[in-house]
């Protein structure tokens, strides 16, 4: 495993001189008949997620409000976990490129409401190396 927690992630620019290395990308989904990519990654990051919950930095798992409107849950309780995991995986990819930071990070969440409801999270940014 590549240690990536020291990678800075910003949704904007950073006031430091840097060299652009290139784009980094990660996507995850909760879709799967007998399990999902997200479920596998939640197991991988279980310890870190539990620590975040204990420190009130991530919501506890709870029933969502979809049942009040007669809708099957799209996994809203998994959004926090998916976001955290995507950032960590994005940092891992940047670390492989010997980057110091990711700038202009963006995300996109798409919902698939055909039959069952699933979500897809895509996250990307620009890996940079400080001069």
């Amino acid at each position: 495993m590549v240690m990536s927690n020291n990678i800075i992630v910003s949704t904007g620019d950073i006031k430091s001189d840097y060299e652009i290395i290139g784009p980094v990308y990660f996507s995850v989904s909760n879709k799967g008949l007998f399990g999902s990519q997200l479920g596998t990654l939640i197991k991988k990051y279980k310890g870190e997620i539990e620590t975040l919950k204990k420190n009130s930095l991530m919501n506890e798992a709870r029933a969502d409000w979809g049942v009040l409107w007669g809708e099957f849950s799209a996994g809203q309780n998994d959004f926090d976990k998916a976001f955290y995991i995507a950032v960590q995986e994005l940092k891992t990819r940047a670390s492989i490129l010997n980057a110091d930071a990711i700038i202009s990070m963006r995300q996109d969440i798409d919902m698939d409401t055909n039959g069952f409801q699933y979500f897809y999270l895509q996250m990307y940014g620009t890996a940079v190396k400080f001069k």
Side-chain angles (χ1 to χ4, degrees):
M1 175 184 273
V2 178
M3 295 302 295
S4 57
N5 284 331
N6 57 345
I7 303 274
I8 297 167
V9 179
S10 174
T11 57
D13 202 359
I14 297 176
K15 292 185 178 186
S16 295
D17 290 335
Y18 56 80
E19 171 187 338
I20 294 175
I21 298 172
V24 287
Y25 172 84
F26 179 75
S27 67
V28 67
S29 173
N30 69 337
K31 188 171 187 172
L33 188 57
F34 298 107
S36 69
Q37 176 193 21
L38 179 60
T40 301
L41 288 167
I42 287 172
K43 291 175 188 171
K44 175 181 175 182
Y45 287 97
K46 183 179 179 181
E48 294 173 41
I49 290 170
E50 290 302 318
T51 299
L52 290 170
K53 286 180 187 177
K54 287 178 189 172
N55 293 325
S56 299
L57 298 173
M58 184 177 290
N59 293 331
E60 290 287 335
R62 62 185 184 280
D64 62 45
W65 297 99
V67 295
L68 294 179
W69 292 284
E71 298 175 357
F72 179 75
S73 169
Q76 289 89 342
N77 291 330
D78 288 337
F79 286 158
D80 284 350
K81 293 174 190 171
F83 182 86
Y84 174 78
I85 288 167
V87 170
Q88 293 306 106
E89 290 291 321
L90 203 64
K91 288 164 67 173
T92 297
R93 283 153 177 75
S95 181
I96 291 168
L97 299 173
N98 293 317
D100 295 313
I102 300 167
I103 60 170
S104 302
M105 188 274 294
R106 298 288 182 262
Q107 70 168 356
D108 180 47
I109 296 177
D110 296 314
M111 301 295 289
D112 178 355
T113 58
N114 294 323
F116 294 102
Q117 294 183 354
Y118 300 104
F119 69 85
Y120 303 88
L121 170 65
Q122 299 88 37
M123 189 173 287
Y124 56 94
T126 303
V128 300
K129 180 89 174 152
F130 295 136
K131 291 184 178 182

